[in-house]
Amino acid sequence: MGTHREDLEYVGFWARTGAMLIDTILLSIVIYPLLTLFYGEAYWLSQRFIVGPFDFLLSWVFPAVAVILFWMKMQATPGKLALGVKIVDAKTGNPASTGKLVIRYFAYALSMVVVGLGFLWIAFDSRKQGLHDKIAGTVVVRKKNRGPEPVLFNE
């Protein structure tokens, strides 16, 4: 039988979507100016999937390395950190292994298949796991009472 952690809760769809939006904005602030600097306005008009080697490095390799390193060091990306959220091993509650984190990152692609149903599943799953979490054996958690102190009114 597993250990109960009364101080933690699973993180649902909307909070995780918010964290993803923060991360996407931060990555875009770094990557888009560099792509424009290197390729010029032609980059944004191109019909090609990958414009060149620098595009591949910035658009595919850099995000993968950055996200996995953040997960390894902080158990979260900047967006998840902003929301007080951490990725942990689904069985133990300990930090997930590097192998699980790499699997989790690449399983994102499977979560996107069929209009993102693997991500949408988070909203309906009892442990709030997306397909990528189930494949990697991870859950996303946060402290239940996140405020500095409970609200108290004196009558």
Side-chain angles (χ1 to χ4, degrees):
M1 185 168 237
T3 304
H4 289 283
R5 289 285 308 265
E6 298 295 329
D7 61 324
L8 296 177
E9 65 184 357
Y10 298 116
V11 181
F13 177 80
W14 290 112
R16 291 175 67 175
T17 299
M20 182 200 62
L21 288 173
I22 291 168
D23 293 332
T24 300
I25 290 167
L26 291 174
L27 276 171
S28 298
I29 288 170
V30 172
I31 294 170
Y32 291 178
L34 291 172
L35 288 170
T36 303
L37 182 68
F38 195 79
Y39 293 106
E41 195 68 28
Y43 176 82
W44 303 105
L45 302 172
S46 175
Q47 300 275 331
R48 293 172 54 200
F49 184 65
I50 297 174
V51 175
F54 194 66
D55 178 21
F56 178 75
L57 287 173
L58 272 178
S59 299
W60 297 94
V61 176
F62 173 72
V65 170
V67 166
I68 293 168
L69 284 176
F70 263 102
W71 287 349
M72 288 170 55
K73 298 294 180 194
M74 308 294 289
Q75 292 180 264
T77 56
K80 283 181 175 57
L81 288 171
L83 299 177
V85 171
K86 290 192 175 190
I87 301 163
V88 297
D89 185 288
K91 287 184 181 174
T92 66
N94 295 326
S97 68
T98 300
K100 284 186 179 223
L101 295 173
V102 170
I103 290 168
R104 186 178 193 272
Y105 185 85
F106 289 102
Y108 271 3
L110 293 176
S111 286
M112 284 303 298
V113 173
V114 191
V115 284
L117 287 178
F119 289 113
L120 188 58
W121 187 253
I122 294 166
F124 304 102
D125 187 75
S126 64
R127 296 178 79 193
K128 305 300 180 193
Q129 287 179 295
L131 179 61
H132 53 287
D133 291 308
K134 289 186 179 295
I135 291 170
T138 59
V139 290
V140 179
V141 297
R142 66 180 169 197
K143 290 182 180 176
K144 269 188 185 173
N145 300 312
R146 296 178 305 280
E149 61 185 77
V151 176
L152 176 65
F153 297 100
N154 294 326
E155 292 184 26

